Amino acid sequence: MNEHVDESFRAQVERLVAEGKLTAEEAAGLLEGSAGEAGAEALTSPPPPATADAGGDTPPDLILKVSGYTLTVVHDAATTAPQLSASQEGEVRLTAGPEGWRVERVGRHQGNWASLRAILSVPFVPRHVRARVDGGNLTLPDLGGEMVADVNGGNLRMGRAASLKADVNGGNLTASEMDGPTHLSVNGGNLTLEDASTLNASVNGGNLKWVGTLRSGQHRVEVNAGNAALHLLPGSSVQLDADMTVGAFKADFPTQRQGGFLNTRHAGQLGGGEAHLSCRVTAGQLKVVTA
């Protein structure tokens, strides 16, 4: 770990590890980068007097803009209001407003952006989150509401949410435990969603890995010059229809194939077939397997 990381920032990271709110791996990522000049003070943005939990005007929602730095959001019930700490002073700002708590960089950025690490500690389980990642790293805890993500380079890692709307245009998004609706768009980059119960995705270049259980309803995947790997967990009950145009198809359960060399149709059933999965692939690859 870098010895030039500010001691107050280091102390906060170590406290969160001791309390089980950060993993050792996450702590290493926050402390390994150069924090600039030795002895720089960590920035703690003082929260407004009223917090969401205290009945103030700011809802427990987050608006996060991550560009060229690493931000880790932690649910910390020991705090009384949201607090932002960073490894360099004056580089990141926390503000409160009617739409939620906003985190973003301040002013013009010079030097090695990747050296900047920040932690946002909130006393509540974040409800709705809107995040834009442009060449940075964002890690989120479990959410109570919906997640709207726009990833244009960089990495976003999150856990549970009620729903997910994601646009990945380069970079990587990893999510899990999605009980509600999902609307996924991959235009370059990689999107991994595990333990999901719905599937609504468009892949136009890039890679989609989806793991989940489909038991009912209508689901769809469209692939244009990209790759989609769908892993159906035990308990899935799926009627599959896949139309392929100059594409490659693979399944590890029985399917029937119709058509010629350029255009083919594949149909199969897993379990009782209560859920319908419609796939359209043009110049791409589709893999549907049982996990």
Side-chain angles (χ1 to χ4, degrees):
M1 294 185 181
N2 196 324
E3 295 301 325
H4 296 301
V5 174
D6 178 75
E7 288 305 316
S8 60
F9 182 72
R10 180 189 297 277
Q12 182 182 11
V13 172
E14 292 174 347
R15 176 182 69 81
L16 292 171
V17 172
E19 295 174 356
K21 294 162 185 170
L22 283 178
T23 66
E25 182 181 0
E26 289 170 336
L30 287 166
L31 296 176
E32 69 183 1
S34 171
E37 296 296 330
E41 295 185 356
L43 168 66
T44 301
S45 299
T51 69
D53 284 4
D57 295 332
T58 305
D61 302 331
L62 304 178
I63 304 165
L64 310 174
K65 295 186 177 181
V66 179
S67 177
Y69 70 101
T70 293
L71 174 63
T72 300
V73 181
V74 178
H75 175 210
D76 186 1
T79 63
T80 59
Q83 295 181 343
L84 179 68
S85 298
S87 58
Q88 297 179 42
E89 183 177 2
E91 292 287 338
V92 191
R93 174 174 57 201
L94 170 67
T95 56
E99 295 183 342
W101 301 88
R102 179 186 296 269
V103 177
E104 58 192 340
R105 291 199 67 150
V106 179
R108 294 178 178 270
H109 318 308
Q110 298 179 351
N112 182 12
W113 292 8
S115 66
L116 179 59
R117 311 284 200 262
I119 299 173
L120 174 63
S121 300
V122 294
F124 47 77
V125 174
R127 187 179 59 179
H128 307 315
V129 175
R130 284 186 289 151
R132 182 180 177 92
V133 181
D134 297 296
N137 301 287
L138 172 61
T139 302
L140 295 172
D142 291 340
L143 311 181
E146 67 179 17
M147 174 70 183
V148 178
D150 189 358
V151 181
N152 304 283
N155 304 282
L156 192 161
R157 182 161 59 90
M158 58 176 291
R160 182 183 305 117
S163 65
L164 172 64
K165 181 179 180 182
D167 288 296
V168 179
N169 306 288
N172 305 282
L173 188 155
T174 302
S176 62
E177 296 188 59
M178 211 63 53
D179 294 330
T182 56
H183 298 275
L184 315 175
S185 177
V186 183
N187 304 289
N190 304 283
L191 194 160
T192 300
L193 174 58
E194 298 186 354
D195 199 10
S197 58
T198 66
L199 176 55
N200 185 355
S202 174
V203 181
N204 301 288
N207 304 284
L208 169 68
K209 179 183 178 182
W210 182 95
V211 182
T213 307
L214 298 180
R215 295 189 175 92
S216 63
Q218 302 290 320
H219 310 270
R220 58 170 285 277
V221 175
E222 293 185 4
V223 181
N224 299 287
N227 304 283
L230 313 179
H231 299 258
L232 299 171
L233 295 175
S236 293
S237 178
V238 178
Q239 179 68 46
L240 170 68
D241 291 300
D243 289 327
M244 315 289 297
T245 301
V246 194
F249 174 84
K250 177 182 178 181
D252 67 349
F253 56 92
T255 59
Q256 295 180 343
R257 181 182 185 276
Q258 295 179 336
F261 177 72
L262 296 180
N263 299 280
T264 60
R265 182 176 184 271
H266 302 262
Q269 183 169 312
L270 185 64
E274 282 82 6
H276 182 234
L277 174 58
S278 175
C279 304
R280 301 290 182 270
V281 179
T282 302
Q285 300 184 47
L286 173 66
K287 179 172 71 172
V288 185
V289 297
T290 56

